[in-house]
Amino acid sequence: MLSKNIEKALNNQIKIEAESSQIYLAMACWAEVKGLEGVAGFMFDQSNEERDHMLKLIKFVNERGGHAQISELAAPNVTFSSFKEMFEKLFEHEVFVSNSINDLVHISLQEKDYATHNFLQWYVSEQIEEEAMARTILDKINLIGDDKGGLYLFDRDIQQITVSTAAANNPQ
Ligand code: FEO
């Protein structure tokens, strides 16, 4: 059974994951209208992943005797000055999400809720992966600079970057 405090904190995280999904959906749309098909595909995938993160929390809250709250969301940014700025925003947002997960872990320990603490470990690992991936992408963007040919290749290869980063983080 969830304490009221934990339930409130988990519901707050549900909202954050829902907003993350919207933030990346808006990025996907911006990239798509700019003709960056690869980047758009990457962002659509990220948006779906965030929705999955949200759903996983919703199921957990409801199964543990709480009531998952579906709430109003903040409107995301819909335009960016450059695709570099867009990925910087993605990285900053993931750091924000990681801090929020850390706060949740802290609360679960304070409340001696070891089931929630255990459940949250998946999110802790996921955030390490997502931050690493965002950092890898930013490194590539900094290498490209203003080179149009580089941007073309980046847009073509971005799906591969995510696959190889995931593989590096999860060696078989
Ligand atoms: Fe669900 Fe990207 O954090």
Side-chain angles (χ1 to χ4, degrees):
M1 188 77 187
L2 297 175
S3 72
K4 282 292 155 205
N5 214 10
I6 294 266
E7 184 179 354
K8 190 164 166 251
L10 289 169
N11 270 318
N12 182 54
Q13 192 62 34
I14 286 170
K15 186 169 190 271
I16 288 175
E17 301 293 348
E19 285 175 346
S20 303
S21 181
Q22 295 296 88
I23 287 169
Y24 299 152
L25 198 55
M27 288 178 176
C29 291
W30 184 83
E32 194 157 57
V33 298
K34 292 282 171 197
L36 296 165
E37 291 301 324
V39 172
F42 168 82
M43 289 297 181
F44 279 120
D45 287 350
Q46 289 301 305
S47 176
N48 283 340
E49 273 192 30
E50 299 303 344
R51 182 176 161 78
D52 287 345
H53 298 172
M54 175 193 71
L55 287 172
K56 208 173 157 78
L57 279 155
I58 286 174
K59 297 273 182 220
F60 181 76
V61 169
N62 290 341
E63 278 165 12
R64 298 281 302 153
H67 184 179
Q69 299 297 307
I70 308 305
S71 54
E72 191 177 5
L73 305 177
N77 259 351
V78 294
T79 54
F80 303 91
S81 60
S82 64
F83 84 111
K84 180 179 174 181
E85 189 214 351
M86 187 176 75
F87 278 103
E88 281 168 353
K89 290 269 188 290
L90 177 139
F91 178 66
E92 284 166 19
H93 185 72
E94 286 304 329
V95 171
F96 163 76
V97 175
S98 296
N99 289 336
S100 171
I101 295 289
N102 283 343
D103 289 346
L104 257 178
V105 171
H106 181 71
I107 296 168
S108 71
L109 284 179
Q110 270 180 335
E111 302 257 333
K112 297 195 166 88
D113 183 342
Y114 299 113
T116 298
H117 183 265
N118 187 46
F119 168 77
L120 289 172
Q121 296 314 301
W122 183 87
Y123 287 84
V124 171
S125 308
E126 181 71 11
Q127 284 313 121
I128 293 171
E129 220 170 83
E130 298 217 336
E131 276 189 39
M133 184 180 67
R135 237 185 243 112
T136 303
I137 291 172
L138 278 180
D139 287 347
K140 302 263 180 220
I141 291 172
N142 285 327
L143 278 175
I144 295 166
D146 293 327
D147 178 35
K148 287 262 190 280
L151 175 57
Y152 173 82
L153 293 175
F154 173 80
D155 187 56
R156 196 193 62 183
D157 294 343
I158 183 163
Q159 303 284 357
Q160 202 47 47
I161 292 172
T162 62
V163 171
S164 54
T165 307
N169 284 322
N170 299 296
Q172 295 298 311

